[in-house]
Amino acid sequence: MARLAGVSEATVSRVLNGVGPIKEQTRARVMEAAKALNYVPSALAQGFARKRSGNLGVILPLLPKVNLFSTHYFSELLSGIGMTASRYGYDLLLLFREPDEPREYERMFQAQKIDACLILGAQDVEPERHALAELAANGRQFCLVSQRFEGTGYNAVDADHREGVRAAVHHLLDRGFSRIWFLNGPSSYSNSADRLQGYCEALHERGVPFDPERVLLGNYSRTSGYRLSEEIEGLVRSGAADAIVAGSDRMAIGVLQGLKEKGLLAGIDYGLVGCDDSEGAKLTDPMLTSIAVPFYEMGSQAANQILSPLAQGETSSSFQLKLPVELIVRGSSAR
């Protein structure tokens, strides 16, 4: 190819790999020679030349008995990430992390397996904080999705969970419910704190005292909601509770199913609101009122914010995005 183009082999390499300044006339001769010879460049070789892997790492928690790809949360996030990454010519490298496994995120960068990474399901625990601090100290490009660490300045894309629960509580109060309980997830997730804040704010705005006894704890799974339905049954029958806001549709569906088996119907005997607006919210009887969270857009935005500067040979500026949510009213919160 070098002989046909009338240039050196080093010049051919620089043209094909986009490395260094090249005269447009020289670049055109090399590309014409490549076309004449039906040359197809090696992506792996180009990656080595540019010191890029062409991979966007996506770190996911490996949860016992949970098929991540069938859950609304992860499937929507990954769809948004994948579609955007493909527009930049990037492939996804998925890393599944066991709950107690060391967070060795830096090792992927050192091995040149990835150029940047998105972290899903991060928790506010010491091993996570240490791993993220290591990435930041080494100038690595990464973004947290649906999680924040206050005061760190880490890149993050999240949804306005506080406003979502605030709107849900106002909606229930407007429907005549007055004894509203909140079913939250683990405190290691920032969105759990955001939702609790929204719950407290809405009560305060309407002059309803906050009672910490009215906050129940699940783990965002349907099973945890179903198990808590036994306790909630007693609360509803005694009049101590007339509505529930759950931090996920899966927990809300577990509550709905458990109470239905006990003869209590959402929208008639009590009000119920979930969060996520998953497909399951439309399949329950009655259909579930839920807070729609734009997971696809969150994944897309995270990938775009990280990859757009990389595509131009730059590093991303610090960013923290919070996308709006919407309350979708259905039969479970009727009166």
Side-chain angles (χ1 to χ4, degrees):
M1 187 188 303
R3 185 180 307 163
L4 183 60
V7 298
S8 68
E9 292 183 359
T11 299
V12 169
S13 177
R14 288 199 302 273
V15 169
L16 295 178
N17 292 307
V19 177
I22 297 289
K23 291 182 179 179
E24 182 57 31
Q25 186 178 21
T26 302
R27 190 193 70 81
R29 290 208 312 271
V30 172
M31 297 308 294
E32 286 176 7
K35 184 177 180 181
L37 296 172
N38 293 320
Y39 173 77
V40 179
S42 164
L44 183 61
Q46 286 183 325
F48 280 125
R50 298 174 183 171
K51 296 183 179 180
R52 297 264 187 91
S53 69
N55 292 326
L56 173 64
V58 181
I59 298 171
L60 299 150
L62 193 59
L63 305 174
K65 301 181 181 179
V66 175
N67 183 342
L68 295 186
F69 299 105
S70 68
T71 63
H72 178 75
Y73 173 84
F74 286 108
S75 64
E76 287 292 296
L77 284 173
L78 287 171
S79 294
I81 292 168
M83 288 296 290
T84 301
S86 68
R87 293 204 299 268
Y88 287 100
Y90 266 78
D91 295 321
L92 300 187
L93 182 63
L94 304 185
L95 172 69
F96 294 93
R97 175 182 51 74
E98 295 275 3
D100 299 322
E101 184 180 2
R103 272 80 160 169
E104 297 180 335
Y105 306 155
E106 171 63 19
R107 180 174 296 181
M108 291 192 300
F109 284 94
Q110 291 177 345
Q112 295 187 346
K113 290 183 178 180
I114 60 173
D115 301 327
C117 74
L118 306 181
I119 303 171
L120 282 56
Q123 298 183 63
D124 190 358
V125 294
E126 186 55 37
E128 192 87 59
R129 281 186 169 273
H130 177 78
L132 296 177
E134 185 179 23
L135 291 180
N138 291 329
R140 305 303 190 184
Q141 296 297 292
F142 69 95
C143 175
L144 298 164
V145 183
S146 196
Q147 175 73 3
R148 300 186 324 281
F149 289 83
E150 297 293 349
T152 61
Y154 297 153
N155 297 331
V157 176
D158 205 351
D160 197 346
H161 302 287
R162 179 194 63 80
E163 179 57 30
V165 170
R166 179 176 169 274
V169 173
H170 277 294
H171 163 72
L172 290 169
L173 290 168
D174 289 341
R175 289 288 177 96
F177 297 100
S178 59
R179 298 174 300 282
I180 303 169
W181 288 57
F182 180 48
L183 174 51
N184 204 7
S187 60
S188 56
Y189 298 109
S190 61
N191 50 37
S192 296
D194 292 342
R195 293 186 180 108
L196 180 59
Q197 182 182 354
Y199 171 75
C200 294
E201 285 182 4
L203 294 177
H204 177 73
E205 289 164 357
R206 300 293 286 270
V208 179
F210 168 68
D211 182 354
E213 295 296 323
R214 289 185 175 181
V215 178
L216 303 174
L217 183 62
N219 63 6
Y220 290 127
S221 70
R222 186 198 65 83
T223 300
S224 67
Y226 184 84
R227 288 174 178 166
L228 283 165
S229 67
E230 185 171 351
E231 179 180 350
I232 295 171
E233 178 196 13
L235 297 171
V236 172
R237 292 196 185 281
S238 69
D242 63 3
I244 308 291
V245 176
S248 74
D249 282 353
R250 292 165 68 85
M251 289 196 296
I253 291 170
V255 169
L256 185 148
Q257 291 175 333
L259 293 185
K260 193 171 187 178
E261 291 173 4
K262 298 170 176 62
L264 294 173
L265 302 178
I268 297 177
D269 299 303
Y270 66 100
L272 181 64
V273 177
C275 181
D276 295 342
D277 195 35
S278 62
E279 284 300 313
K282 307 174 188 68
L283 300 176
T284 58
D285 183 22
M287 289 193 289
L288 181 65
T289 294
S290 185
I291 302 161
V293 180
F295 293 122
Y296 181 94
E297 289 77 11
M298 289 166 61
S300 178
Q301 286 273 15
N304 183 66
Q305 291 286 332
I306 285 290
L307 294 179
S308 179
L310 280 180
Q312 302 173 52
E314 302 172 357
T315 57
S316 66
S317 302
S318 178
F319 60 88
Q320 292 82 37
L321 305 181
K322 186 175 289 187
L323 305 188
V325 300
E326 180 183 3
L327 182 67
I328 307 298
V329 177
R330 301 190 181 94
S332 70
S333 61
R335 190 60 164 161

